[in-house]
Amino acid sequence: MERTRLGQVEVVWQRPATPGAAIKLSQVAAKFEPSKFARRASWDIDQQVNKLWEAKRAKNSRLYNGDKFRLAGWYREEEKWVLEIGVTSYKDLCGTNLAHNARSLQERGSKDFGNAQAYMSDPIGVGVLVVTSDGFLVAVRRAGWTGEYPGALDRPGGHPEPERVLTTHHTHSSLDDAVLKEVWTSAAHEVEDEVGIPKDQLDHLTLLGIVLNVEAGGRPSLEFFTRCGLSSSEVRHLYKRGCQAEVDETTSLHLLPPPTLASLPELLHSHSPTENCDVTASAMWRRQEIIDSNGERGSGSGERGSGSGEREGEREARWVMEEASPALRGALFLALQHNLLPHVTSAGEIV
């Protein structure tokens, strides 16, 4: 496994044996042990978790606590990625990974247990890079009320839900398989629930790698890739219908064309994001001239800059890098490593 630091995220990935070959479900296993893979408890940290949760709820009553799967670790065994999984909660996430003193909690974990993540919630997030049949990448704008990176440009994503698995009796081995299946299939659920693309229109998901959000205490997400049987116009139509289950979690759809995607590799290698990349409400539409509030590409999108010598798509690609959540930036980097993004040839052609 390789580990690369990219601004405020670290990415964990496996160099593909052949171009475009990401990790299949058959190459991953889960080891689910809630007692062994829970975060370490401490009276003062638990007090902090409760206090911060009460404060967040007072400001945003839409937040709710719920069980989440915890990623305690991972390793390679017999050509498989093995994920060590426990249980945590959204409240614990807010009181540890998203707390103002997350870094000191990591330092304390290193001192007490030789593990920087020992006291951290580290819930498993999932995200999906979806490419339409005509080569557009599906991105969404996060709603302003969401608990993490409100207003940021993001990929469809969310969390696998323990309640879908743990309410049914399983043997130990079948429970491991059920947890892995929930983690994997939840990614497709999120695409349908946020964008409206039916799961049967998605190709088999493959795993690009793990993104660790450094500025959120190492908060992990599993990043997937899939191709969609629908065109960009069909996806736009589904989104505009507003029938998706989580319609209020996003405010707009953004379909990034091949020229924009082909301009991302150079920026992904050279971009150095600022330490605080939260997108505030006042900054949400500062690139309105490129993409309008309905997710349509504006008159300036994908065009060459006036006298600037910009290649088609470069301007919009810079906008993507400025607006992207850390998870989206990490997922795009992983897609680049797997040769899943369009690129520009020496002759200037996009392939």
Side-chain angles (χ1 to χ4, degrees), residues 21 43 55 75 82 97 122 132 137 146 177 209 240 274 306 315 327:
W43 181 87
Y75 58 91
V82 180
N97 292 81
D122 285 352
T132 65
L137 180 72
T146 53
D177 292 339
K240 284 186 174 181
T274 58
S306 301
R315 185 170 177 231

Side-chain angles (χ1 to χ4, degrees), residues 103-124:
R103 189 178 297 276
S104 66
L105 294 180
Q106 289 179 299
E107 293 173 351
R108 181 171 164 182
S110 294
K111 179 180 178 181
D112 294 348
F113 302 103
N115 178 5
Q117 303 307 114
Y119 291 116
M120 311 306 285
S121 173
D122 285 352
I124 297 176

Side-chain angles (χ1 to χ4, degrees), residues 79-251:
E79 301 305 314
K80 282 195 174 187
W81 277 42
V82 180
L83 306 176
E84 298 175 324
I85 299 176
V87 176
T88 184
S89 70
Y90 190 75
K91 181 173 80 170
D92 282 358
L93 166 67
C94 294
T96 57
N97 292 81
L98 303 184
H100 62 283
N101 63 335
R103 189 178 297 276
S104 66
L105 294 180
Q106 289 179 299
E107 293 173 351
R108 181 171 164 182
S110 294
K111 179 180 178 181
D112 294 348
F113 302 103
N115 178 5
Q117 303 307 114
Y119 291 116
M120 311 306 285
S121 173
D122 285 352
I124 297 176
V126 294
V128 192
L129 294 183
V130 181
V131 175
T132 65
S133 60
D134 50 348
F136 286 66
L137 180 72
V138 176
V140 292
R141 176 75 70 176
R142 294 176 61 82
W145 66 266
T146 53
E148 299 175 72
Y149 297 96
L153 192 69
D154 206 0
R155 76 284 184 262
H159 300 89
E161 301 296 343
E163 64 181 17
R164 294 183 185 143
V165 177
L166 304 185
T167 54
T168 305
H169 176 72
H170 298 273
T171 64
H172 182 75
S173 59
S174 68
L175 183 55
D176 286 347
D177 292 339
V179 168
L180 177 60
K181 181 179 179 182
E182 166 59 20
V183 169
W184 206 273
T185 60
S186 66
H189 280 296
E190 293 296 338
V191 175
E192 184 170 43
D193 290 348
E194 287 190 13
V195 183
I197 301 174
K199 292 188 291 292
D200 61 8
Q201 290 292 336
L202 300 176
D203 199 356
H204 294 296
L205 273 71
T206 53
L207 178 64
L208 298 174
I210 304 171
V211 171
L212 305 173
N213 189 340
V214 176
E215 68 173 17
R219 191 225 206 284
S221 63
L222 304 182
E223 299 300 329
F224 294 87
F225 180 89
T226 187
R227 297 190 184 276
C228 172
L230 303 176
S231 69
S232 56
S233 60
E234 290 173 317
V235 171
R236 181 178 292 117
H237 174 72
L238 286 173
Y239 183 85
K240 284 186 174 181
R241 289 175 57 193
C243 297
Q244 52 270 38
E246 297 175 353
V247 65
D248 63 338
E249 293 194 3
T250 67
T251 58

